[in-house]
Amino acid sequence: MDENNNLTEPNDSQRNFILAIYILFALSVVFTSVTSAVGAILAYRKRDDVRGTIYETHIAYLLRTFIIALIGIILGIILSAIGFGLIIIVLVEIWYLFRVVVGIVKFAKKQPVTPTGYFM
């Protein structure tokens, strides 16, 4: 999957679906984390539908972003008892926003993302 030549061309339905998930993830920054949870559930349920396209990497990227952010927020909440948690929560939110923006930019350029990287 390293070369775009081996990937099939995604259809408009798949593109719109991935865009909707990115929108849900982005909305969670402004509103509530529930939208990213809904986006993660949708991504997980539909990941087989985009297998073999550039959007397969986007699904893996979004799921990894959600899971790591969730772990970071839980850790931050736990560590809030000793006053260190708020720093972790803020850093996780910045990291999460960065990942969502990078994913949207790559999505707009019709490029795959690297799901296993922590930043891109």
Side-chain angles (χ1 to χ4, degrees), residues 16-30:
N16 292 338
F17 175 74
I18 298 299
L19 178 59
I21 294 173
Y22 271 114
I23 290 170
L24 287 169
F25 271 64
L27 286 175
S28 74
V29 174
V30 178

Side-chain angles (χ1 to χ4, degrees), residues 9-108:
E9 185 67 28
N11 60 42
D12 287 340
S13 173
Q14 292 168 327
R15 182 168 174 75
N16 292 338
F17 175 74
I18 298 299
L19 178 59
I21 294 173
Y22 271 114
I23 290 170
L24 287 169
F25 271 64
L27 286 175
S28 74
V29 174
V30 178
F31 295 109
T32 176
S33 298
V34 173
T35 60
S36 65
V38 170
I41 291 167
L42 289 174
Y44 185 78
R45 293 197 63 203
K46 295 286 191 171
R47 69 186 187 278
D48 289 337
D49 293 349
V50 295
R51 203 167 303 281
T53 70
I54 61 167
Y55 299 137
E56 180 177 1
T57 63
H58 286 272
I59 291 283
Y61 179 83
L62 287 165
L63 289 172
R64 182 179 176 98
T65 300
F66 176 78
I67 290 169
I68 292 172
L70 180 63
I71 291 168
I73 295 296
I74 291 170
L75 182 64
I77 290 169
I78 292 168
L79 293 176
S80 289
I82 60 172
F84 190 65
L86 184 58
I87 294 169
I88 291 175
I89 291 171
V90 169
L91 290 175
V92 168
E93 288 294 327
I94 291 168
W95 173 83
Y96 176 88
L97 181 60
F98 175 80
R99 296 258 306 183
V100 171
V101 169
V102 166
I104 290 172
V105 168
K106 295 257 186 175
F107 170 80

